[in-house]
Amino acid sequence: AMHWLVKEMENRYEILKDAGAKVPPDLSLTKCRDLLRQHFEGKICLLVLDDVWNVDHANIFCQVGPRCRILITTRDAGVLTALGAHQERIDVVDERTALEILATWVQIPSETIAPEAKDVIKACGRVPLALSLAGAQIRDGWSWRQAADVLEQGRLASLDHPSGSIFHSLQASID
């Protein structure tokens, strides 16, 4: 199974609930770690901890079981260093390449792309996967402004698309 945890890490109750664990109302960090270990014992899973900024929050998940793997996304390399985690740096593309990615998905020449595409590129942080997912949504009827607004508001799950669903791809790879 895959569990994609994007909630604020401080909300231990919601995180455990999302992972499928039974959660008592009085939940300390130690109890949270114990519940996670019990819940995932003997299971095979991938936990995706998205946008982690605090080592203590990630540490809760580091002992979930020998058959579980954890993928942590962060913009703070210090978090990964403190955890002793392997770091895989994902570079962004330049603006011209970003325009070409969007144009390919929208199926138009990059020279004719709408000026609002720059807002989409900025909101995607020039990350190729985000650009591809945004481009797929625009091709299917979203306006450039709608895509930029969704991204700027941090509603990334809205980008999930059958042609390039990160959620579907990760789930299929571990099922």
Side-chain angles (χ1 to χ4, degrees):
M2 179 184 71
H3 300 280
W4 192 286
L5 305 175
V6 293
K7 292 203 173 3
E8 291 296 319
M9 297 301 269
E10 289 89 359
N11 194 340
R12 297 184 290 272
Y13 181 83
E14 288 297 320
I15 289 169
L16 282 165
K17 225 169 90 176
D18 284 354
K22 293 183 181 181
V23 187
D26 57 331
L27 191 61
S28 66
L29 282 176
T30 303
K31 184 69 173 168
C32 182
R33 186 176 20 254
D34 293 344
L35 280 172
L36 280 165
R37 190 177 15 249
Q38 289 169 12
H39 179 71
F40 289 109
E41 188 174 342
K43 293 181 182 175
I44 299 172
C45 72
L46 170 65
L47 290 175
V48 180
L49 307 179
D50 198 13
D51 202 21
V52 176
W53 289 92
N54 185 315
V55 175
D56 294 332
H57 298 159
N59 260 329
I60 294 169
F61 298 91
C62 287
Q63 299 172 13
V64 291
R67 300 176 72 190
C68 294
R69 296 295 176 258
I70 301 171
L71 173 66
I72 299 171
T73 69
T74 183
R75 287 175 261 165
D76 182 353
V79 169
L80 300 176
T81 301
L83 292 169
H86 170 75
Q87 204 174 129
E88 191 65 42
R89 192 163 193 76
I90 300 174
D91 291 326
V92 297
V93 296
D94 59 52
E95 189 165 321
R96 176 149 182 76
T97 303
L99 274 170
E100 289 171 9
I101 291 170
L102 285 174
T104 298
W105 275 98
V106 179
Q107 300 173 337
I108 61 172
S110 59
E111 309 80 52
T112 64
I113 207 160
E116 295 88 354
K118 291 188 187 263
D119 295 333
V120 173
I121 290 168
K122 182 180 177 190
C124 287
R126 295 182 295 141
V127 174
L129 177 60
L131 290 162
S132 296
L133 293 173
Q137 292 293 14
I138 293 163
R139 182 194 61 219
D140 287 352
W142 282 20
S143 70
W144 290 98
R145 181 77 265 142
Q146 181 182 10
D149 289 346
V150 163
L151 288 160
E152 288 165 359
Q153 294 167 12
R155 296 189 341 232
L156 301 181
S158 299
L159 287 179
D160 205 24
H161 187 277
S163 295
S165 168
I166 187 170
F167 305 108
H168 177 73
S169 297
L170 284 171
Q171 186 66 49
S173 71
I174 58 173
D175 279 350

